[in-house]
Amino acid sequence: MRIRVRPARTSRIAATSLCSALACVLALPAQAGEPTVAELAQRLKAIEQRLGTSSDNAVAGNDLTDLDQRLRVIERKLELQAEESAARTASTPTVSLSASKGLSIKSPPPGDVEVKVKALVQADGRFFIGDEQVPQNDTFLFRRIQPSIEGTWGSLIGFRILTEFAGDSATINDAYLDLKFDPRATLRIGKFKSPVGLERLQSSGSTGLIELGLASELTPNRDLGLQLQGEFAGSTVSYALGVFNGAVDGRDSPTTNPDNEFEYAGRIFFEPWKNASNALSGLGFGVGASAGDRAGSGNNFLPRYRTPGQAQFFNYRSTVLADGASKRWSPQAYYYRNAFSLLGEYVSSSQEVRIGAFDTELDHRAWQLTAGLVLTGEDAGYKGVARPNQAFTVGGAGWGAFELVARYGRLDIDDAAFPRYADPNVVAAAARSWGLGLNWYLTGNLKLVANYTQTQFDGGAAAGRDREDEKAFFTRAQLAF
C-alpha cells in the first residue's frame, strides 16, 4: 500500500523543520553575546542551501524571503538609532567628577568650552608657647575657604574666579581673563598674583610649611593690572611682564589706585633641562623684579612685616610717608629630584620715605631656604607632592605619603630706619626664623600638617632689649579638589 504525502503537509513539515533549525541556530550564540545582522544573514543563507530549492520547499523559501525582508527593516532601524545616538552625543556636554580635577563640564566636540569647579579648605590650629611679654591668642580658625571657577571659553579665552569666605567678609582673591594668542604670548587682565616672589607664586595648598617665610614678606601678593606672559623653547623659558596698581610688601593691592601711580613688575625663569631625563631636570632659576612710585601714608603705601607665626614685628611710625621710588628684585631658584625638594630666594625691597623735612631711601632685605623629603618615596614638585602611591584606608595597608620639611630665613630692616622712621623700643630691626614640618598626605585631596617655628629678634623691646622669641605650633587640615 502506497502512502502519499500531500504537498500542504510537506510544506508544513518543511516550515516546521525550518523554524526548528532557525531556533537552534539563533539560540546557539546567545551564550556568547547577541549576533549581528550580518551574522544572521549568513546563517539564513546557510539554511537555504541546506534545504535546497525543490518544490517541496517552496513555502519555506517564501518564509525565508519574508524573514530576510524583516531583517533588512531591523537593520535599517538599528542604523537610524545609531545615527540618532551619535547626533545626540555630539550635541551633549560632558560632565565629569574626579578627585584630582573636581567638577568639570565640557562642551560637545571639539570641547573648547570647559568650566571647572574647584575648592580649597584649610582649618588651622594656632598655639603659642612661652608668650609672656607679647601674648598671642591660641585659637582654631578657618585659614582659607576658597571655591573657584576656572576654564576656557573657546580657544582664545581662559578665565578664573577665586573667592575667599574665611574671615569676617567674603572677598575676591583672583578674577582674571587670559587672552591666549599663542603659548608664547598670553595677555592676562584682572586681579592675580604679582610675578615677583617664588614662594608667593605657589598655590596656597602646595607650600612646604603652613605659613610663608620671611622672604615672602618683602614680595607683593595679589595686584590689579594686566600682564603679558608666555613660554619658549619647549616650556624651558617662561616670562611675565605687567603693569599694576601697585601693592605694598606682603599684601594685596587696594581695589583702586589711590595715588595715581603705577607699578611695573616682571619675571623670567629658566628650566634648561626640564624635558631631559637626568639629575638636572628639576632645576629652575630666575629673577623677579618690580619698580614704581608710591606717595602716601597708611597701610596702602607702607608695609608691616609679620613672623611665620603671623605676629607683626615691624611697622613705621604713623607720621612717615611713602614719597618716591619703590623697587624690588629677587633672584630665586628651586630643585626637585624624586622625593627631594629645595627652594630658595633672596629679596631686596627699597622705598623712598619722608618724615617732616627728612627723607631717605630704605632698603630691607631677606632670604630663605626650604628643603623637603618625601619619606614614602613619592615625587615632590613645585605644585606639591604627587598623589600617594597607596592612599590611606581605614583597616587597610595604605598609609598615604609623609613629607618632612625644614626652613630657615632672615629679614633685616635697613639700619637707617631707626630711630627716625621706626621706634626701636617697639619694633625689631631683624628677625631670624627656623621651622620644621610634617605633612601627611592621606589621599590626593586630604592633607594633615603639623609645624613648629621659632623666631628670634634683634631689638623690639624697651631699653634696647630683644623681643622675646616667638615659639609657635601650628596644625592644619586641608581639603583640596
Side-chain angles (χ1 to χ4, degrees):
M1 180 183 217
R2 296 183 64 186
I3 299 174
R4 176 178 294 178
V5 180
R6 295 179 181 177
R9 187 176 178 185
T10 303
S11 300
R12 286 195 297 271
I13 293 173
T16 302
S17 300
L18 171 63
C19 292
S20 300
L22 279 173
C24 293
V25 172
L26 295 177
L28 287 174
Q31 297 178 356
E34 293 295 333
T36 66
V37 173
E39 289 174 343
L40 287 173
Q42 289 178 355
R43 291 170 189 170
L44 286 172
K45 187 175 180 180
I47 293 170
E48 287 179 334
Q49 292 174 350
R50 197 183 314 163
L51 292 174
T53 58
S54 65
S55 59
D56 290 343
N57 297 323
V59 175
N62 292 335
D63 291 341
L64 284 172
T65 301
D66 181 62
L67 187 55
D68 181 66
Q69 291 175 349
R70 292 183 182 184
L71 285 173
R72 292 181 186 276
V73 172
I74 294 173
E75 183 179 23
R76 181 55 184 158
K77 287 183 178 180
L78 291 175
E79 290 176 354
L80 292 174
Q81 289 176 2
E83 292 172 0
E84 182 182 353
S85 177
R88 188 165 51 249
T89 301
S91 61
T92 302
T94 302
V95 180
S96 63
L97 180 64
S98 68
S100 59
K101 297 183 179 180
L103 176 63
S104 173
I105 304 174
K106 183 179 288 188
S107 66
D112 56 356
V113 175
E114 184 176 14
V115 177
K116 298 178 182 178
V117 179
K118 299 184 177 183
L120 173 66
V121 180
Q122 295 174 336
D124 290 7
R126 295 178 177 178
F127 311 98
F128 297 89
I129 304 169
D131 52 334
E132 298 175 357
Q133 299 177 17
V134 186
Q136 305 293 325
N137 288 336
D138 296 342
T139 184
F140 294 104
L141 73 154
F142 276 111
R143 182 66 172 90
R144 292 179 178 89
I145 304 176
Q146 297 179 344
S148 66
I149 299 175
E150 61 185 63
T152 59
W153 206 268
S155 59
L156 177 64
I157 301 173
F159 64 90
R160 187 182 197 219
I161 300 175
L162 175 72
T163 55
E164 176 63 82
F165 289 100
D168 298 330
S169 60
T171 59
I172 296 178
N173 282 356
D174 290 337
Y176 61 79
L177 290 176
D178 282 341
L179 301 181
K180 301 183 289 184
F181 300 108
D182 188 275
R184 296 165 295 182
T186 294
L187 185 63
R188 178 166 291 182
I189 306 169
K191 182 181 180 182
F192 47 91
K193 289 185 178 182
S194 181
V196 179
L198 182 61
E199 188 184 43
R200 280 270 178 206
L201 288 171
Q202 275 189 298
S203 166
S204 300
S206 302
T207 55
L209 281 87
I210 288 177
E211 297 295 343
L212 302 183
L214 289 171
S216 294
E217 284 296 295
L218 299 188
T219 60
N221 196 27
R222 289 177 167 89
D223 211 338
L224 283 94
L226 56 89
Q227 173 177 286
L228 184 66
Q229 61 189 43
E231 298 177 340
F232 293 92
S235 300
T236 61
V237 180
S238 60
Y239 76 95
L241 183 64
V243 55
F244 303 91
N245 284 346
V248 299
D249 295 348
R251 301 295 182 272
D252 292 351
S253 72
T255 55
T256 59
N257 190 1
D259 60 355
N260 201 32
E261 298 286 353
F262 289 110
E263 184 170 82
Y264 303 91
R267 179 175 181 260
I268 187 166
F269 202 75
F270 302 92
E271 298 172 274
W273 299 277
K274 180 177 181 178
N275 301 318
S277 298
N278 56 42
L280 297 178
S281 60
L283 175 64
F285 54 89
V287 61
S290 68
D293 287 317
R294 193 170 290 128
S297 63
N299 297 333
N300 288 335
F301 300 95
L302 290 171
R304 299 165 292 167
Y305 299 135
R306 298 175 299 183
T307 67
Q310 301 302 285
Q312 183 175 305
F313 72 92
F314 176 83
N315 62 276
Y316 290 94
R317 295 181 185 272
S318 60
T319 52
V320 177
L321 304 174
D323 187 32
S326 173
K327 294 176 290 185
R328 304 182 188 92
W329 66 282
S330 174
Q332 53 199 237
Y334 60 57
Y335 178 68
Y336 297 96
R337 176 65 174 172
N338 300 328
F340 177 74
S341 63
L342 186 65
L343 183 149
E345 59 187 318
Y346 171 90
V347 185
S348 168
S349 176
S350 65
Q351 173 67 58
E352 292 182 356
V353 296
R354 175 181 295 276
I355 183 170
F358 300 94
D359 64 89
T360 190
E361 180 180 23
L362 300 178
D363 185 9
H364 310 315
R365 303 185 178 190
W367 64 272
Q368 66 188 28
L369 195 64
T370 304
L373 181 65
V374 185
L375 303 178
T376 45
E378 287 81 358
D379 288 341
Y382 185 65
K383 295 183 179 180
V385 173
R387 300 182 69 84
N389 294 331
Q390 289 186 318
F392 175 79
T393 52
V394 177
W399 278 93
F402 291 89
E403 180 187 27
L404 283 177
V405 183
R407 180 177 66 200
Y408 184 84
R410 179 183 177 97
L411 191 156
D412 291 291
I413 305 298
D414 194 322
D415 292 341
F418 303 98
R420 179 172 288 124
Y421 303 99
D423 186 350
N425 296 312
V426 177
V427 300
R432 301 175 301 280
S433 179
W434 62 269
L436 295 174
L438 175 64
N439 299 327
W440 181 17
Y441 300 84
L442 285 81
T443 69
N445 306 99
L446 179 61
K447 178 170 73 169
L448 300 180
V449 184
N451 285 181
Y452 176 80
T453 60
Q454 185 165 324
T455 306
Q456 298 174 305
F457 306 92
D458 292 346
R465 296 193 304 271
D466 294 337
R467 177 174 171 166
E468 70 176 354
D469 293 355
E470 177 190 78
K471 302 174 183 178
F473 179 72
F474 282 14
T475 62
R476 169 169 291 172
Q478 173 179 299
L479 174 66
F481 61 86

